Amino acid sequence: MPHTTAFARNQWYVAAYAHEVGRELFGRTVLGEPLVFYRTEDDGRPVALHDRCVHRRYPLSASGLDGDRIVCGYHGFTYDTTGACVYVPGQKRVPRTARVASYPVVEQDSLIWVWIGDPTLADPEAIPRARHLDSPGWVTVSGMEPIDADYGLLVDNLLDLSHETYLHGGYIGTPEVAETPITTEVDEGAGIVRVSRHMDDAECPPFYARSTGIEGRITRWQDIEYHAPCLYLLHSRIAPVGVVPEPDGSDPNGFHTEITYAITPSADGAVYDFWMVSRDWATDDAEVTEFLRANNHTVVMQDVDALNLLQRTLGTERSGYQELSINIDTGGLAARRILARLVEEGEKPVEKVL
């Protein structure tokens, strides 16, 4: 496969966790666009502007706030929440072109979503949900790791969990993950890929054995929902062998864990790997919380190292090399088709009704 995936710009992407954006200016690059984020003084609404002053391209994220206005730290050009420049030094007239782009931004489910494309197409209702991230009765550990790899490689990685057996052995991987066939469902129109792997009699990996206290073998279900291009949900349910967890995880002998990833391209060959592990069991146990945080961080870093290596390797491949795909790749191949379609649709001119 080509090791660069084009960006679908007319889409929502996670730019930050909600707790990262406050009254301190915060910079992050999304789809190659440098952005600066902050919250307004009165209502705490998140704002996203282009992170370069129009004067000499100084990063606004390295500047300061005066109320809800950003004052460039180099020459004092001042911008309001819409990106309009309202003050320049040494003259009263503000040049008509003195403006930075503003971007639609939505805070939802503890995440800050941003729209990089045509702002007239930004529909907040189209943002996929991850309600468990801020719902009562759930506890979440989270983090973010930048990866020096094409974001399509991370999508492939997460949609084919058979790699858990080999890359994550001793953490979340057991032989049964790779040995168990998958089922795949694709909703091309909605841009959703579902991949399921149900293991009726599996070894309990340390990630779950140590956090749940289950001894012996387990029933293990992995049900993936990938909402292209950004949100990945893994509904993980385990129980002692012979106990089939209810779909909502309500069985007292089962454990329901939601694994969430936001896959956000930073630039060509760079991606942000936002990861979250949410549980509705042992929610008051700080030791379990810390174990899941540390353990999952280790798993994520194993992926980071593998994808960084893969990106470097693909960069040295001869042209025309052939990739081999098998049944475990069905979900990833469907995701590639959907991402390619979203890119193509974003490049078509928009017909506006007058």
Side-chain angles (χ1 to χ4, degrees), residues 155 158-162 180-186 192-198 221-226 232-235 327-335:
V155 174
L158 293 173
L159 282 170
D160 173 19
L161 295 182
S162 68
T180 303
I182 61 168
T183 60
T184 305
E185 297 178 8
V186 182
I192 300 174
V193 180
R194 294 181 173 89
V195 179
S196 295
R197 180 181 273 107
H198 294 174
W221 291 8
Q222 296 175 324
D223 294 300
I224 296 168
E225 274 182 60
Y226 171 57
Y232 170 100
L233 305 171
L234 168 59
H235 312 297
N327 184 57
I328 59 174
D329 303 305
T330 306
L333 294 174

PDB file of all heavy atoms in Angstrom, residues 155 158-162 180-186 192-198 221-226 232-235 327-335:
ATOM      1  N   VAL A 155      -4.786   3.224  11.394  1.00  0.00           N
ATOM      2  CA  VAL A 155      -6.119   2.663  11.132  1.00  0.00           C
ATOM      3  C   VAL A 155      -6.004   1.162  10.869  1.00  0.00           C
ATOM      4  O   VAL A 155      -6.750   0.352  11.435  1.00  0.00           O
ATOM      5  CB  VAL A 155      -6.792   3.371   9.933  1.00  0.00           C
ATOM      6  CG1 VAL A 155      -8.119   2.692   9.578  1.00  0.00           C
ATOM      7  CG2 VAL A 155      -7.030   4.843  10.238  1.00  0.00           C
ATOM      8  N   LEU A 158      -5.326  -0.784  14.181  1.00  0.00           N
ATOM      9  CA  LEU A 158      -6.428  -0.910  15.129  1.00  0.00           C
ATOM     10  C   LEU A 158      -7.562  -1.784  14.604  1.00  0.00           C
ATOM     11  O   LEU A 158      -8.319  -2.363  15.384  1.00  0.00           O
ATOM     12  CB  LEU A 158      -6.963   0.475  15.494  1.00  0.00           C
ATOM     13  CG  LEU A 158      -5.991   1.351  16.291  1.00  0.00           C
ATOM     14  CD1 LEU A 158      -6.537   2.764  16.453  1.00  0.00           C
ATOM     15  CD2 LEU A 158      -5.697   0.735  17.660  1.00  0.00           C
ATOM     16  N   LEU A 159      -7.686  -1.891  13.290  1.00  0.00           N
ATOM     17  CA  LEU A 159      -8.756  -2.715  12.733  1.00  0.00           C
ATOM     18  C   LEU A 159      -8.356  -4.186  12.595  1.00  0.00           C
ATOM     19  O   LEU A 159      -9.215  -5.031  12.358  1.00  0.00           O
ATOM     20  CB  LEU A 159      -9.210  -2.155  11.383  1.00  0.00           C
ATOM     21  CG  LEU A 159     -10.136  -0.935  11.503  1.00  0.00           C
ATOM     22  CD1 LEU A 159     -10.358  -0.280  10.149  1.00  0.00           C
ATOM     23  CD2 LEU A 159     -11.478  -1.342  12.108  1.00  0.00           C
ATOM     24  N   ASP A 160      -7.088  -4.485  12.754  1.00  0.00           N
ATOM     25  CA  ASP A 160      -6.644  -5.878  12.737  1.00  0.00           C
ATOM     26  C   ASP A 160      -6.000  -6.200  14.079  1.00  0.00           C
ATOM     27  O   ASP A 160      -4.799  -6.000  14.280  1.00  0.00           O
ATOM     28  CB  ASP A 160      -5.652  -6.123  11.603  1.00  0.00           C
ATOM     29  CG  ASP A 160      -5.051  -7.526  11.666  1.00  0.00           C
ATOM     30  OD1 ASP A 160      -5.661  -8.396  12.340  1.00  0.00           O
ATOM     31  OD2 ASP A 160      -3.986  -7.747  11.062  1.00  0.00           O
ATOM     32  N   LEU A 161      -6.809  -6.706  15.022  1.00  0.00           N
ATOM     33  CA  LEU A 161      -6.311  -6.961  16.371  1.00  0.00           C
ATOM     34  C   LEU A 161      -5.558  -8.285  16.492  1.00  0.00           C
ATOM     35  O   LEU A 161      -5.076  -8.613  17.584  1.00  0.00           O
ATOM     36  CB  LEU A 161      -7.473  -6.927  17.370  1.00  0.00           C
ATOM     37  CG  LEU A 161      -8.155  -5.562  17.525  1.00  0.00           C
ATOM     38  CD1 LEU A 161      -9.257  -5.636  18.580  1.00  0.00           C
ATOM     39  CD2 LEU A 161      -7.139  -4.482  17.896  1.00  0.00           C
ATOM     40  N   SER A 162      -5.408  -9.016  15.389  1.00  0.00           N
ATOM     41  CA  SER A 162      -4.629 -10.253  15.486  1.00  0.00           C
ATOM     42  C   SER A 162      -3.180  -9.944  15.867  1.00  0.00           C
ATOM     43  O   SER A 162      -2.478 -10.818  16.394  1.00  0.00           O
ATOM     44  CB  SER A 162      -4.674 -11.024  14.166  1.00  0.00           C
ATOM     45  OG  SER A 162      -3.976 -10.328  13.150  1.00  0.00           O
ATOM     46  N   THR A 180      -8.640 -16.844  16.097  1.00  0.00           N
ATOM     47  CA  THR A 180     -10.092 -16.763  15.953  1.00  0.00           C
ATOM     48  C   THR A 180     -10.472 -15.964  14.707  1.00  0.00           C
ATOM     49  O   THR A 180     -10.027 -14.822  14.544  1.00  0.00           O
ATOM     50  CB  THR A 180     -10.717 -16.100  17.194  1.00  0.00           C
ATOM     51  OG1 THR A 180     -10.346 -16.848  18.351  1.00  0.00           O
ATOM     52  CG2 THR A 180     -12.233 -16.043  17.075  1.00  0.00           C
ATOM     53  N   PRO A 181     -11.284 -16.527  13.823  1.00  0.00           N
ATOM     54  CA  PRO A 181     -11.727 -15.773  12.628  1.00  0.00           C
ATOM     55  C   PRO A 181     -12.552 -14.549  13.023  1.00  0.00           C
ATOM     56  O   PRO A 181     -13.153 -14.496  14.097  1.00  0.00           O
ATOM     57  CB  PRO A 181     -12.577 -16.790  11.861  1.00  0.00           C
ATOM     58  CG  PRO A 181     -12.181 -18.129  12.412  1.00  0.00           C
ATOM     59  CD  PRO A 181     -11.808 -17.900  13.841  1.00  0.00           C
ATOM     60  N   ILE A 182     -12.588 -13.588  12.135  1.00  0.00           N
ATOM     61  CA  ILE A 182     -13.355 -12.359  12.356  1.00  0.00           C
ATOM     62  C   ILE A 182     -14.587 -12.335  11.470  1.00  0.00           C
ATOM     63  O   ILE A 182     -14.682 -13.050  10.481  1.00  0.00           O
ATOM     64  CB  ILE A 182     -12.510 -11.099  12.061  1.00  0.00           C
ATOM     65  CG1 ILE A 182     -12.060 -11.084  10.582  1.00  0.00           C
ATOM     66  CG2 ILE A 182     -11.332 -10.999  12.999  1.00  0.00           C
ATOM     67  CD1 ILE A 182     -11.480  -9.762  10.122  1.00  0.00           C
ATOM     68  N   THR A 183     -15.548 -11.506  11.862  1.00  0.00           N
ATOM     69  CA  THR A 183     -16.648 -11.140  10.969  1.00  0.00           C
ATOM     70  C   THR A 183     -16.566  -9.637  10.741  1.00  0.00           C
ATOM     71  O   THR A 183     -16.220  -8.882  11.653  1.00  0.00           O
ATOM     72  CB  THR A 183     -18.018 -11.502  11.565  1.00  0.00           C
ATOM     73  OG1 THR A 183     -18.192 -10.811  12.807  1.00  0.00           O
ATOM     74  CG2 THR A 183     -18.119 -12.998  11.808  1.00  0.00           C
ATOM     75  N   THR A 184     -16.866  -9.202   9.532  1.00  0.00           N
ATOM     76  CA  THR A 184     -16.736  -7.792   9.168  1.00  0.00           C
ATOM     77  C   THR A 184     -18.028  -7.312   8.527  1.00  0.00           C
ATOM     78  O   THR A 184     -18.581  -7.994   7.657  1.00  0.00           O
ATOM     79  CB  THR A 184     -15.567  -7.576   8.189  1.00  0.00           C
ATOM     80  OG1 THR A 184     -14.368  -8.107   8.755  1.00  0.00           O
ATOM     81  CG2 THR A 184     -15.374  -6.093   7.895  1.00  0.00           C
ATOM     82  N   GLU A 185     -18.503  -6.148   8.970  1.00  0.00           N
ATOM     83  CA  GLU A 185     -19.653  -5.490   8.352  1.00  0.00           C
ATOM     84  C   GLU A 185     -19.247  -4.077   7.973  1.00  0.00           C
ATOM     85  O   GLU A 185     -18.584  -3.392   8.764  1.00  0.00           O
ATOM     86  CB  GLU A 185     -20.838  -5.432   9.322  1.00  0.00           C
ATOM     87  CG  GLU A 185     -21.376  -6.788   9.748  1.00  0.00           C
ATOM     88  CD  GLU A 185     -22.516  -6.654  10.735  1.00  0.00           C
ATOM     89  OE1 GLU A 185     -22.972  -5.511  10.963  1.00  0.00           O
ATOM     90  OE2 GLU A 185     -22.939  -7.683  11.295  1.00  0.00           O
ATOM     91  N   VAL A 186     -19.652  -3.639   6.791  1.00  0.00           N
ATOM     92  CA  VAL A 186     -19.261  -2.321   6.302  1.00  0.00           C
ATOM     93  C   VAL A 186     -20.499  -1.546   5.884  1.00  0.00           C
ATOM     94  O   VAL A 186     -21.305  -2.031   5.089  1.00  0.00           O
ATOM     95  CB  VAL A 186     -18.291  -2.431   5.103  1.00  0.00           C
ATOM     96  CG1 VAL A 186     -17.852  -1.046   4.644  1.00  0.00           C
ATOM     97  CG2 VAL A 186     -17.081  -3.287   5.468  1.00  0.00           C
ATOM     98  N   ILE A 192     -18.815   3.553   8.250  1.00  0.00           N
ATOM     99  CA  ILE A 192     -18.579   2.796   9.479  1.00  0.00           C
ATOM    100  C   ILE A 192     -18.138   1.373   9.119  1.00  0.00           C
ATOM    101  O   ILE A 192     -18.746   0.722   8.273  1.00  0.00           O
ATOM    102  CB  ILE A 192     -19.839   2.740  10.358  1.00  0.00           C
ATOM    103  CG1 ILE A 192     -20.282   4.157  10.754  1.00  0.00           C
ATOM    104  CG2 ILE A 192     -19.587   1.901  11.610  1.00  0.00           C
ATOM    105  CD1 ILE A 192     -21.604   4.197  11.494  1.00  0.00           C
ATOM    106  N   VAL A 193     -17.071   0.925   9.775  1.00  0.00           N
ATOM    107  CA  VAL A 193     -16.591  -0.451   9.623  1.00  0.00           C
ATOM    108  C   VAL A 193     -16.716  -1.140  10.974  1.00  0.00           C
ATOM    109  O   VAL A 193     -16.266  -0.606  11.995  1.00  0.00           O
ATOM    110  CB  VAL A 193     -15.126  -0.487   9.147  1.00  0.00           C
ATOM    111  CG1 VAL A 193     -14.650  -1.931   9.002  1.00  0.00           C
ATOM    112  CG2 VAL A 193     -14.963   0.262   7.832  1.00  0.00           C
ATOM    113  N   ARG A 194     -17.313  -2.335  10.979  1.00  0.00           N
ATOM    114  CA  ARG A 194     -17.444  -3.122  12.201  1.00  0.00           C
ATOM    115  C   ARG A 194     -16.702  -4.450  12.028  1.00  0.00           C
ATOM    116  O   ARG A 194     -16.935  -5.164  11.052  1.00  0.00           O
ATOM    117  CB  ARG A 194     -18.920  -3.381  12.530  1.00  0.00           C
ATOM    118  CG  ARG A 194     -19.691  -2.117  12.887  1.00  0.00           C
ATOM    119  CD  ARG A 194     -21.148  -2.434  13.227  1.00  0.00           C
ATOM    120  NE  ARG A 194     -21.835  -1.254  13.730  1.00  0.00           N
ATOM    121  CZ  ARG A 194     -22.475  -0.369  12.942  1.00  0.00           C
ATOM    122  NH1 ARG A 194     -22.497  -0.568  11.626  1.00  0.00           N
ATOM    123  NH2 ARG A 194     -23.065   0.679  13.471  1.00  0.00           N
ATOM    124  N   VAL A 195     -15.833  -4.736  12.968  1.00  0.00           N
ATOM    125  CA  VAL A 195     -15.073  -5.981  12.952  1.00  0.00           C
ATOM    126  C   VAL A 195     -15.255  -6.656  14.307  1.00  0.00           C
ATOM    127  O   VAL A 195     -15.032  -6.032  15.354  1.00  0.00           O
ATOM    128  CB  VAL A 195     -13.574  -5.736  12.690  1.00  0.00           C
ATOM    129  CG1 VAL A 195     -12.813  -7.061  12.697  1.00  0.00           C
ATOM    130  CG2 VAL A 195     -13.363  -5.018  11.364  1.00  0.00           C
ATOM    131  N   SER A 196     -15.679  -7.925  14.295  1.00  0.00           N
ATOM    132  CA  SER A 196     -15.951  -8.643  15.544  1.00  0.00           C
ATOM    133  C   SER A 196     -15.136  -9.921  15.624  1.00  0.00           C
ATOM    134  O   SER A 196     -14.955 -10.633  14.626  1.00  0.00           O
ATOM    135  CB  SER A 196     -17.441  -8.986  15.657  1.00  0.00           C
ATOM    136  OG  SER A 196     -18.218  -7.804  15.748  1.00  0.00           O
ATOM    137  N   ARG A 197     -14.664 -10.183  16.830  1.00  0.00           N
ATOM    138  CA  ARG A 197     -13.955 -11.428  17.117  1.00  0.00           C
ATOM    139  C   ARG A 197     -14.459 -11.945  18.461  1.00  0.00           C
ATOM    140  O   ARG A 197     -14.278 -11.283  19.490  1.00  0.00           O
ATOM    141  CB  ARG A 197     -12.448 -11.177  17.155  1.00  0.00           C
ATOM    142  CG  ARG A 197     -11.614 -12.407  17.457  1.00  0.00           C
ATOM    143  CD  ARG A 197     -10.135 -12.073  17.512  1.00  0.00           C
ATOM    144  NE  ARG A 197      -9.505 -12.138  16.200  1.00  0.00           N
ATOM    145  CZ  ARG A 197      -9.108 -11.090  15.489  1.00  0.00           C
ATOM    146  NH1 ARG A 197      -9.302  -9.861  15.953  1.00  0.00           N
ATOM    147  NH2 ARG A 197      -8.524 -11.241  14.309  1.00  0.00           N
ATOM    148  N   HIS A 198     -15.158 -13.086  18.458  1.00  0.00           N
ATOM    149  CA  HIS A 198     -15.732 -13.659  19.670  1.00  0.00           C
ATOM    150  C   HIS A 198     -14.992 -14.950  20.004  1.00  0.00           C
ATOM    151  O   HIS A 198     -15.011 -15.901  19.228  1.00  0.00           O
ATOM    152  CB  HIS A 198     -17.223 -13.935  19.485  1.00  0.00           C
ATOM    153  CG  HIS A 198     -18.030 -12.687  19.320  1.00  0.00           C
ATOM    154  ND1 HIS A 198     -19.376 -12.699  19.017  1.00  0.00           N
ATOM    155  CD2 HIS A 198     -17.686 -11.374  19.422  1.00  0.00           C
ATOM    156  CE1 HIS A 198     -19.827 -11.444  18.933  1.00  0.00           C
ATOM    157  NE2 HIS A 198     -18.806 -10.633  19.166  1.00  0.00           N
ATOM    158  N   TRP A 221     -14.975 -11.107  24.041  1.00  0.00           N
ATOM    159  CA  TRP A 221     -15.564 -10.520  22.842  1.00  0.00           C
ATOM    160  C   TRP A 221     -14.887  -9.192  22.537  1.00  0.00           C
ATOM    161  O   TRP A 221     -14.722  -8.359  23.421  1.00  0.00           O
ATOM    162  CB  TRP A 221     -17.072 -10.275  23.037  1.00  0.00           C
ATOM    163  CG  TRP A 221     -17.900 -11.522  23.122  1.00  0.00           C
ATOM    164  CD1 TRP A 221     -17.461 -12.808  23.197  1.00  0.00           C
ATOM    165  CD2 TRP A 221     -19.327 -11.582  23.140  1.00  0.00           C
ATOM    166  NE1 TRP A 221     -18.523 -13.671  23.265  1.00  0.00           N
ATOM    167  CE2 TRP A 221     -19.680 -12.952  23.230  1.00  0.00           C
ATOM    168  CE3 TRP A 221     -20.338 -10.627  23.093  1.00  0.00           C
ATOM    169  CZ2 TRP A 221     -21.008 -13.376  23.278  1.00  0.00           C
ATOM    170  CZ3 TRP A 221     -21.659 -11.052  23.134  1.00  0.00           C
ATOM    171  CH2 TRP A 221     -21.986 -12.414  23.218  1.00  0.00           C
ATOM    172  N   GLN A 222     -14.514  -9.028  21.278  1.00  0.00           N
ATOM    173  CA  GLN A 222     -13.967  -7.762  20.789  1.00  0.00           C
ATOM    174  C   GLN A 222     -14.832  -7.297  19.626  1.00  0.00           C
ATOM    175  O   GLN A 222     -14.840  -7.927  18.573  1.00  0.00           O
ATOM    176  CB  GLN A 222     -12.521  -7.931  20.320  1.00  0.00           C
ATOM    177  CG  GLN A 222     -11.534  -8.313  21.415  1.00  0.00           C
ATOM    178  CD  GLN A 222     -10.144  -8.588  20.856  1.00  0.00           C
ATOM    179  OE1 GLN A 222      -9.988  -9.126  19.757  1.00  0.00           O
ATOM    180  NE2 GLN A 222      -9.126  -8.224  21.610  1.00  0.00           N
ATOM    181  N   ASP A 223     -15.561  -6.222  19.830  1.00  0.00           N
ATOM    182  CA  ASP A 223     -16.431  -5.669  18.784  1.00  0.00           C
ATOM    183  C   ASP A 223     -15.992  -4.252  18.476  1.00  0.00           C
ATOM    184  O   ASP A 223     -16.133  -3.343  19.310  1.00  0.00           O
ATOM    185  CB  ASP A 223     -17.891  -5.698  19.237  1.00  0.00           C
ATOM    186  CG  ASP A 223     -18.408  -7.121  19.406  1.00  0.00           C
ATOM    187  OD1 ASP A 223     -18.399  -7.866  18.414  1.00  0.00           O
ATOM    188  OD2 ASP A 223     -18.781  -7.485  20.540  1.00  0.00           O
ATOM    189  N   ILE A 224     -15.472  -4.065  17.272  1.00  0.00           N
ATOM    190  CA  ILE A 224     -14.918  -2.775  16.848  1.00  0.00           C
ATOM    191  C   ILE A 224     -15.947  -2.012  16.038  1.00  0.00           C
ATOM    192  O   ILE A 224     -16.654  -2.580  15.203  1.00  0.00           O
ATOM    193  CB  ILE A 224     -13.664  -2.989  15.982  1.00  0.00           C
ATOM    194  CG1 ILE A 224     -12.550  -3.652  16.784  1.00  0.00           C
ATOM    195  CG2 ILE A 224     -13.179  -1.666  15.374  1.00  0.00           C
ATOM    196  CD1 ILE A 224     -11.401  -4.152  15.920  1.00  0.00           C
ATOM    197  N   GLU A 225     -16.013  -0.709  16.288  1.00  0.00           N
ATOM    198  CA  GLU A 225     -16.749   0.232  15.427  1.00  0.00           C
ATOM    199  C   GLU A 225     -15.778   1.324  15.037  1.00  0.00           C
ATOM    200  O   GLU A 225     -15.316   2.073  15.894  1.00  0.00           O
ATOM    201  CB  GLU A 225     -17.884   0.909  16.199  1.00  0.00           C
ATOM    202  CG  GLU A 225     -19.190   0.207  16.284  1.00  0.00           C
ATOM    203  CD  GLU A 225     -20.176   1.074  17.055  1.00  0.00           C
ATOM    204  OE1 GLU A 225     -20.453   2.213  16.623  1.00  0.00           O
ATOM    205  OE2 GLU A 225     -20.637   0.621  18.116  1.00  0.00           O
ATOM    206  N   TYR A 226     -15.468   1.433  13.758  1.00  0.00           N
ATOM    207  CA  TYR A 226     -14.614   2.525  13.273  1.00  0.00           C
ATOM    208  C   TYR A 226     -15.473   3.503  12.494  1.00  0.00           C
ATOM    209  O   TYR A 226     -16.071   3.143  11.485  1.00  0.00           O
ATOM    210  CB  TYR A 226     -13.490   1.983  12.403  1.00  0.00           C
ATOM    211  CG  TYR A 226     -12.691   3.064  11.695  1.00  0.00           C
ATOM    212  CD1 TYR A 226     -12.066   4.082  12.417  1.00  0.00           C
ATOM    213  CD2 TYR A 226     -12.568   3.061  10.314  1.00  0.00           C
ATOM    214  CE1 TYR A 226     -11.335   5.063  11.768  1.00  0.00           C
ATOM    215  CE2 TYR A 226     -11.834   4.041   9.653  1.00  0.00           C
ATOM    216  CZ  TYR A 226     -11.220   5.042  10.386  1.00  0.00           C
ATOM    217  OH  TYR A 226     -10.508   6.023   9.740  1.00  0.00           O
ATOM    218  N   TYR A 232     -12.538   5.556  16.783  1.00  0.00           N
ATOM    219  CA  TYR A 232     -12.468   4.099  16.854  1.00  0.00           C
ATOM    220  C   TYR A 232     -12.951   3.665  18.226  1.00  0.00           C
ATOM    221  O   TYR A 232     -12.467   4.148  19.252  1.00  0.00           O
ATOM    222  CB  TYR A 232     -11.021   3.666  16.630  1.00  0.00           C
ATOM    223  CG  TYR A 232     -10.718   2.205  16.904  1.00  0.00           C
ATOM    224  CD1 TYR A 232     -10.628   1.288  15.859  1.00  0.00           C
ATOM    225  CD2 TYR A 232     -10.441   1.756  18.192  1.00  0.00           C
ATOM    226  CE1 TYR A 232     -10.306  -0.048  16.105  1.00  0.00           C
ATOM    227  CE2 TYR A 232     -10.120   0.430  18.441  1.00  0.00           C
ATOM    228  CZ  TYR A 232     -10.049  -0.462  17.393  1.00  0.00           C
ATOM    229  OH  TYR A 232      -9.721  -1.769  17.631  1.00  0.00           O
ATOM    230  N   LEU A 233     -13.932   2.759  18.242  1.00  0.00           N
ATOM    231  CA  LEU A 233     -14.487   2.247  19.487  1.00  0.00           C
ATOM    232  C   LEU A 233     -14.307   0.731  19.511  1.00  0.00           C
ATOM    233  O   LEU A 233     -14.682   0.033  18.570  1.00  0.00           O
ATOM    234  CB  LEU A 233     -15.980   2.565  19.593  1.00  0.00           C
ATOM    235  CG  LEU A 233     -16.390   4.037  19.452  1.00  0.00           C
ATOM    236  CD1 LEU A 233     -17.908   4.154  19.363  1.00  0.00           C
ATOM    237  CD2 LEU A 233     -15.857   4.850  20.622  1.00  0.00           C
ATOM    238  N   LEU A 234     -13.725   0.223  20.601  1.00  0.00           N
ATOM    239  CA  LEU A 234     -13.606  -1.209  20.804  1.00  0.00           C
ATOM    240  C   LEU A 234     -14.415  -1.573  22.042  1.00  0.00           C
ATOM    241  O   LEU A 234     -14.079  -1.183  23.156  1.00  0.00           O
ATOM    242  CB  LEU A 234     -12.141  -1.618  20.989  1.00  0.00           C
ATOM    243  CG  LEU A 234     -11.889  -3.060  21.489  1.00  0.00           C
ATOM    244  CD1 LEU A 234     -12.487  -4.081  20.527  1.00  0.00           C
ATOM    245  CD2 LEU A 234     -10.398  -3.298  21.687  1.00  0.00           C
ATOM    246  N   HIS A 235     -15.519  -2.283  21.816  1.00  0.00           N
ATOM    247  CA  HIS A 235     -16.367  -2.741  22.909  1.00  0.00           C
ATOM    248  C   HIS A 235     -15.803  -4.090  23.367  1.00  0.00           C
ATOM    249  O   HIS A 235     -15.972  -5.113  22.682  1.00  0.00           O
ATOM    250  CB  HIS A 235     -17.813  -2.883  22.448  1.00  0.00           C
ATOM    251  CG  HIS A 235     -18.331  -1.693  21.698  1.00  0.00           C
ATOM    252  ND1 HIS A 235     -18.454  -0.445  22.265  1.00  0.00           N
ATOM    253  CD2 HIS A 235     -18.738  -1.557  20.402  1.00  0.00           C
ATOM    254  CE1 HIS A 235     -18.939   0.402  21.368  1.00  0.00           C
ATOM    255  NE2 HIS A 235     -19.112  -0.247  20.235  1.00  0.00           N
ATOM    256  N   ASN A 327      -7.819 -12.531   5.111  1.00  0.00           N
ATOM    257  CA  ASN A 327      -9.136 -12.260   5.698  1.00  0.00           C
ATOM    258  C   ASN A 327      -9.067 -11.272   6.866  1.00  0.00           C
ATOM    259  O   ASN A 327      -9.967 -10.446   7.037  1.00  0.00           O
ATOM    260  CB  ASN A 327      -9.775 -13.574   6.174  1.00  0.00           C
ATOM    261  CG  ASN A 327     -11.185 -13.357   6.697  1.00  0.00           C
ATOM    262  OD1 ASN A 327     -12.039 -12.836   5.985  1.00  0.00           O
ATOM    263  ND2 ASN A 327     -11.429 -13.736   7.947  1.00  0.00           N
ATOM    264  N   ILE A 328      -7.998 -11.341   7.677  1.00  0.00           N
ATOM    265  CA  ILE A 328      -7.903 -10.442   8.833  1.00  0.00           C
ATOM    266  C   ILE A 328      -7.817  -8.977   8.413  1.00  0.00           C
ATOM    267  O   ILE A 328      -8.023  -8.080   9.231  1.00  0.00           O
ATOM    268  CB  ILE A 328      -6.692 -10.782   9.725  1.00  0.00           C
ATOM    269  CG1 ILE A 328      -5.388 -10.680   8.928  1.00  0.00           C
ATOM    270  CG2 ILE A 328      -6.853 -12.148  10.356  1.00  0.00           C
ATOM    271  CD1 ILE A 328      -4.134 -10.862   9.778  1.00  0.00           C
ATOM    272  N   ASP A 329      -7.512  -8.722   7.131  1.00  0.00           N
ATOM    273  CA  ASP A 329      -7.353  -7.353   6.637  1.00  0.00           C
ATOM    274  C   ASP A 329      -8.649  -6.777   6.071  1.00  0.00           C
ATOM    275  O   ASP A 329      -8.649  -5.646   5.579  1.00  0.00           O
ATOM    276  CB  ASP A 329      -6.273  -7.320   5.546  1.00  0.00           C
ATOM    277  CG  ASP A 329      -4.946  -7.856   6.036  1.00  0.00           C
ATOM    278  OD1 ASP A 329      -4.449  -7.337   7.052  1.00  0.00           O
ATOM    279  OD2 ASP A 329      -4.415  -8.805   5.417  1.00  0.00           O
ATOM    280  N   THR A 330      -9.739  -7.546   6.122  1.00  0.00           N
ATOM    281  CA  THR A 330     -10.986  -7.107   5.483  1.00  0.00           C
ATOM    282  C   THR A 330     -11.443  -5.751   6.011  1.00  0.00           C
ATOM    283  O   THR A 330     -11.838  -4.859   5.242  1.00  0.00           O
ATOM    284  CB  THR A 330     -12.097  -8.155   5.706  1.00  0.00           C
ATOM    285  OG1 THR A 330     -11.634  -9.428   5.272  1.00  0.00           O
ATOM    286  CG2 THR A 330     -13.342  -7.775   4.922  1.00  0.00           C
ATOM    287  N   GLY A 331     -11.413  -5.571   7.322  1.00  0.00           N
ATOM    288  CA  GLY A 331     -11.844  -4.302   7.893  1.00  0.00           C
ATOM    289  C   GLY A 331     -10.935  -3.156   7.495  1.00  0.00           C
ATOM    290  O   GLY A 331     -11.403  -2.064   7.142  1.00  0.00           O
ATOM    291  N   GLY A 332      -9.630  -3.384   7.540  1.00  0.00           N
ATOM    292  CA  GLY A 332      -8.689  -2.336   7.157  1.00  0.00           C
ATOM    293  C   GLY A 332      -8.829  -1.928   5.700  1.00  0.00           C
ATOM    294  O   GLY A 332      -8.741  -0.746   5.365  1.00  0.00           O
ATOM    295  N   LEU A 333      -9.035  -2.905   4.821  1.00  0.00           N
ATOM    296  CA  LEU A 333      -9.212  -2.599   3.404  1.00  0.00           C
ATOM    297  C   LEU A 333     -10.497  -1.808   3.173  1.00  0.00           C
ATOM    298  O   LEU A 333     -10.535  -0.889   2.339  1.00  0.00           O
ATOM    299  CB  LEU A 333      -9.225  -3.889   2.586  1.00  0.00           C
ATOM    300  CG  LEU A 333      -7.904  -4.674   2.570  1.00  0.00           C
ATOM    301  CD1 LEU A 333      -8.092  -6.006   1.839  1.00  0.00           C
ATOM    302  CD2 LEU A 333      -6.797  -3.857   1.925  1.00  0.00           C
ATOM    303  N   ALA A 334     -11.551  -2.138   3.922  1.00  0.00           N
ATOM    304  CA  ALA A 334     -12.795  -1.371   3.814  1.00  0.00           C
ATOM    305  C   ALA A 334     -12.578   0.062   4.286  1.00  0.00           C
ATOM    306  O   ALA A 334     -13.086   1.016   3.671  1.00  0.00           O
ATOM    307  CB  ALA A 334     -13.895  -2.041   4.638  1.00  0.00           C
ATOM    308  N   ALA A 335     -11.816   0.229   5.358  1.00  0.00           N
ATOM    309  CA  ALA A 335     -11.525   1.581   5.854  1.00  0.00           C
ATOM    310  C   ALA A 335     -10.756   2.382   4.817  1.00  0.00           C
ATOM    311  O   ALA A 335     -11.008   3.576   4.627  1.00  0.00           O
ATOM    312  CB  ALA A 335     -10.742   1.498   7.157  1.00  0.00           C
TER     313      ALA A 335
END
